[in-house]
Amino acid sequence: DGGITQSPKYLFRKEGQNVTLSCEQNLNHDAMYWYRQDPGQGLRLIYYSQIVNDFQKGDIAEGYSVSREKKESFPLTVTSAQKNPTAFYLCASSIVTSMNTGELFFGEGSRLTVL
Amino acid sequence: AQKVTQAQTEISVVEKEDVTLDCVYETRDTTYYLFWYKQPPSGELVFLIRRNSFDEQNEISGRYSWNFQKSTSSFNFTITASQVVDSAVYFCALSGNDMRFGAGTRLTVKP
């Protein structure tokens, strides 16, 4: 079945460690996104990519990094520079020609807890 | 700047009651799109509807209906005869130059 797969579903990390969240899609979508969800704050955009080897910062990119070496993959690294990394992270994709006008397809999310 | 406000943080109803989720938005764009997404306990957001700024016609899909009013910058969502399976967090979103989500409304439908 086509869709977006995020892994791991749950992740625990010690302070000062980097961690990478995986996002893979087989929908043949050009655009991919990373959102962060905190209670009572909705979704905030971290990074997005419209094409392979290119990506743009969102509203809260500090302390995060991404890469887009393949169309189907958009991993997110939460670095030790991110001051408050405990959150629920959602990956999404869309057809690039309808970016911001079409629906987003979401993965099931990754919950990161920093101990 | 674009902004989406969902003033209702949590709503609890009993099964078969009707419930309306409010969404108010702010934008300076003349062309924009409004969305509703559902987030069940499993975590992924599921697309429900998209409306463009030129189409104020209300829409009904089964038990779901949406009321878009540009005069009040609102895009409210009504569930008729609610069911336990409707329990989820519902997000309203606005897109113009970028996509903005509201804080979400957690709906609990009790049997």
Side-chain angles (χ1 to χ4, degrees), chain A residues 88-100:
Chain A
F88 188 57
Y89 292 88
L90 284 158
C91 180
S93 70
S94 70
I95 302 171
V96 72
T97 54
S98 64
M99 185 177 173
N100 290 336

Side-chain angles (χ1 to χ4, degrees), chain A residues 37 59 100-101 103-104 107, chain B residues 37 39 44 50 95 97 100:
Chain A
Q37 183 178 8
D59 296 327
N100 290 336
T101 66
E103 65 181 281
L104 298 178
Chain B
Y37 285 86
Q39 185 180 39
E44 84 281 14
R50 177 186 65 184
S95 77
N97 292 325
R100 297 281 171 175

Side-chain angles (χ1 to χ4, degrees), chain A residues 6-17:
Chain A
Q6 288 186 241
S7 64
K9 200 172 178 72
Y10 299 94
L11 186 61
F12 297 88
R13 179 193 103 174
K14 293 182 180 179
E15 278 193 32
Q17 289 181 335

